[in-house]
Amino acid sequence: MTSPINCLSILVIPLLVTSIFYQASVGQPGIKIDDSSLTYLCKNSTDPTYCFKTLKADPDTFAGIGDKFHLGIVSIAIVNRTVSATAAQIPRILEKLSDRVDKIRMMDCKDDYNVVLDTVGLAYVSSDSRDYYGAMFMMQDAASRLGECKNSYTAPPVRASPIADGIAEAFKKFNIVDAVFGYMLL
Ligand SMILES: *[C@@H]1O[C@H](CO)[C@@H](O)[C@H](O)[C@H]1NC(C)=O
Ligand SMILES: *[C@@H]1O[C@H](CO)[C@@H](O)[C@H](O)[C@H]1NC(C)=O
């Protein structure tokens, strides 16, 4: 007759084995990030100096586990700060606009930003729960949604976007996310 202990081990051993393999294959805490790993991963970004400076200046980069997988949520939070700051300016900008085209574009951008913020939040949760590919694809979706806001101003009638600087900064930070995830998923 099978003892309860044996029954338990039949259940527990496969779980343990699965969990050990899972940890080894995805996101096992690895070596600490240092300056040379930042330099290495930033090589693939469009502005390596900016990428290095931004990550180096963020206190979260070296905090906690501080390994390369931790950089996923750090880089997503960097994007989040920039897009949140711009999104917070939009209501005041909208109040000042009187031209119909300008108003419609900024209202559409407000929608785009809401989607971007939601998507970035979901990407953060995904990366935090080790779904790195999911997080990376969500950040690409978020960047492409931000591109719709940006591109609306270059379609006729061409106008200057009141949030052009915020958008440009967000794209530079999305590019850091690309470099970080490229490195994490090597
Ligand atoms: C994004 O920024 C907003 C505003 O600062 C904050 O409330 C939110 O918690 C941040 N989310 C992430 C995922 O960092
Ligand atoms: C940089 O990009 C190249 C080409 O896509 C790739 O082979 C390499 O692994 C990348 N390096 C890093 C650090 O992401």
Side-chain angles (χ1 to χ4, degrees):
M1 207 172 135
T2 321
S3 77
I5 300 286
N6 278 345
C7 280
L8 202 62
S9 40
I10 287 167
L11 287 171
V12 167
I13 289 172
L15 273 178
L16 274 178
V17 170
T18 312
S19 127
I20 288 164
F21 273 101
Y22 179 78
Q23 299 226 344
S25 56
V26 222
Q28 188 185 39
I31 50 163
K32 286 248 175 202
I33 283 293
D34 58 14
D35 281 13
S36 70
S37 39
L38 289 184
T39 304
Y40 178 66
L41 82 91
C42 284
K43 273 195 184 125
N44 274 1
S45 71
T46 47
D47 188 344
T49 308
Y50 178 79
C51 171
F52 179 88
K53 262 195 343 204
T54 306
L55 288 172
K56 172 90 176 162
D58 194 311
D60 290 336
T61 293
F62 305 103
I65 300 168
D67 69 352
K68 69 175 182 174
F69 294 103
H70 176 69
L71 280 183
I73 53 169
V74 173
S75 65
I76 292 169
I78 287 173
V79 167
N80 181 59
R81 279 195 288 277
T82 301
V83 290
S84 294
T86 307
Q89 293 168 2
I90 293 180
R92 259 180 297 123
I93 295 171
L94 266 174
E95 279 172 19
K96 289 186 195 144
L97 295 176
S98 48
D99 178 85
R100 191 177 150 274
V101 171
D102 285 340
K103 271 191 158 173
I104 291 173
R105 286 198 183 159
M106 193 49 71
M107 269 153 54
D108 286 346
C109 275
K110 192 176 178 214
D111 289 343
D112 293 331
Y113 264 91
N114 284 336
V115 174
V116 169
L117 288 171
D118 285 350
T119 310
V120 167
L122 292 172
Y124 186 97
V125 172
S126 295
S127 193
D128 201 31
S129 46
R130 297 180 176 183
D131 175 12
Y132 303 123
Y133 281 99
M136 184 180 69
F137 293 136
M138 285 174 206
M139 290 305 280
Q140 287 168 0
D141 282 349
S144 120
R145 185 68 187 234
L146 189 64
E148 290 179 24
C149 163
K150 181 186 178 198
N151 294 340
S152 67
Y153 286 86
T154 54
V158 175
R159 298 281 159 86
S161 166
I163 53 170
D165 290 349
I167 293 174
E169 192 187 337
F171 274 110
K172 290 185 81 171
K173 291 182 171 161
F174 273 116
N175 186 255
I176 295 176
V177 170
D178 282 346
V180 163
F181 278 80
Y183 174 61
M184 280 165 54
L185 297 168
L186 267 186

